[in-house]
Amino acid sequence: MAETTAVSQDNGEEHIKRDSVADVQLRGLLDQVEMSTEHSIEGLSDEILNCGYTGAISVQNKESIVRAIILHAVLRLQPMLDQLREGLQLYDLLLLIGQYPDICQPLFVPGEDVKVNAEFVMASILPQLSEKGTSRHQIELEMINFIQDFLYEAEAEGQGHVDDQDGLHSITPARFLQWITGQGHIPLLPSEKKDFAVTIKFNHDCSADFGHHNVCYPVVSACAKNIVLPVKHMRPYDQFKKVLIEAFHLSQQFNMV
């Protein structure tokens, strides 16, 4: 049964990595802990304690807290995996899986259909457009075209791209989606997939709202699954791309930019 064990006793806990955490909420908690301050980490006490951590909750213990969260995420799945293994053995399906892993993989692991691409993001976009025939409406359509060009460009350039030396991730359609909605995957349930939408709003009056300024960035609300684009600062396309990339890199957490 060693091959189904998420954490090998021989390898030790040090081999458990963040990538092993599939739960979106726990991954979000890991982000919050890693970016927390002495003050903000206190607000995460309940979530951290629910993961089985028993030490002092402080920034000095971030490493121990992160390890406890990862262990909680991984080890709680072990009883379920063991039961699944026992069930598969009843009809020798486990043996078939070992012999034909590639053929059996789609039975357990989602395939290409759940990978976020530019086409899926564009199909999910729900823009709040101004009245047809107005200059604002034309500008907003232009912005939607900018988004489409940007996503397809990011998708093409993302093949084999290595993270920047300063640790900032390159933008891909999946990361763009996660930035705006908090999830970087296509919903698995048909009902969730049907209702999934990314709302695009447009701010034409940022000068009136904020006074004189040279640049302002898109406002993202992951909980509401929407993004507000400051039209004045995101035209033409080169400026749109520059501002969007800066906003993305400056806001790698689930909050507002």
Side-chain angles (χ1 to χ4, degrees):
M1 296 179 64
E3 62 271 21
T4 64
T5 303
V7 183
S8 171
Q9 293 180 351
D10 294 333
N11 291 338
E13 295 179 2
E14 65 273 10
H15 289 269
I16 304 174
K17 297 183 179 180
R18 179 194 175 98
D19 293 343
S20 303
V21 180
D23 187 285
V24 175
Q25 291 184 338
L26 292 179
R27 289 179 71 92
L29 178 59
L30 286 171
D31 289 336
Q32 290 178 296
V33 170
E34 291 176 345
M35 302 181 66
S36 64
T37 63
E38 191 67 53
H39 175 71
S40 64
I41 199 170
E42 295 178 359
L44 304 174
S45 297
D46 291 342
E47 292 90 338
I48 293 172
L49 293 175
N50 287 338
C51 293
Y53 180 74
T54 58
I57 298 178
S58 64
V59 292
Q60 288 77 16
N61 293 330
K62 276 187 181 181
E63 184 176 347
S64 298
I65 294 172
V66 167
R67 184 164 57 250
I69 296 172
I70 296 176
L71 282 171
H72 171 74
V74 175
L75 295 181
R76 68 175 181 167
L77 297 178
Q78 192 58 45
M80 291 182 278
L81 292 173
D82 291 340
Q83 290 182 11
L84 177 62
R85 180 182 179 86
E86 292 176 3
L88 294 174
Q89 287 178 324
L90 293 177
Y91 298 99
D92 292 330
L93 183 55
L94 192 63
L95 179 61
L96 291 175
I97 293 174
Q99 293 176 338
Y100 308 103
D102 293 337
I103 296 176
C104 295
Q105 180 176 344
L107 298 175
F108 303 93
V109 182
E112 294 295 328
D113 290 340
V114 299
K115 290 186 178 180
V116 173
N117 54 24
E119 182 178 359
F120 173 79
V121 177
M122 289 305 302
S124 303
I125 284 179
L126 183 64
Q128 294 188 357
L129 301 173
S130 299
E131 183 179 352
K132 288 184 178 180
T134 63
S135 58
R136 288 191 173 191
H137 181 81
Q138 294 299 320
I139 292 173
E140 290 161 1
L141 292 180
E142 181 183 28
M143 301 291 286
I144 295 299
N145 288 330
F146 285 171
I147 293 174
Q148 178 174 269
D149 292 342
F150 179 84
L151 288 172
Y152 279 101
E153 181 181 330
E155 186 173 69
E157 293 180 354
Q159 301 296 328
H161 184 80
V162 179
D163 289 346
D164 298 334
Q165 292 181 356
D166 57 5
L168 297 176
H169 295 296
S170 63
I171 300 181
T172 64
R175 287 172 177 161
F176 179 83
L177 185 68
Q178 185 168 20
W179 176 43
I180 299 177
T181 69
Q183 68 178 62
H185 62 276
I186 296 176
L188 296 179
L189 297 179
S191 59
E192 293 181 354
K193 186 175 181 180
K194 178 182 177 182
D195 298 330
F196 186 79
V198 178
T199 303
I200 306 293
K201 301 180 181 180
F202 307 91
N203 184 357
H204 295 267
D205 304 308
C206 63
S207 294
D209 295 338
F210 308 117
H212 176 73
H213 57 283
N214 294 323
V215 63
C216 61
Y217 295 105
V219 177
V220 172
S221 178
C223 295
K225 295 183 173 63
N226 68 48
I227 180 172
V228 182
L229 302 177
V231 174
K232 175 183 177 181
H233 304 280
M234 301 189 75
R235 299 172 68 211
Y237 176 69
D238 288 344
Q239 185 66 14
F240 172 91
K241 181 178 178 180
K242 178 178 181 293
V243 171
L244 191 67
I245 290 176
E246 287 179 355
F248 174 82
H249 287 325
L250 291 172
S251 59
Q252 292 305 295
Q253 56 181 316
F254 295 151
N255 62 1
M256 299 182 68
V257 178

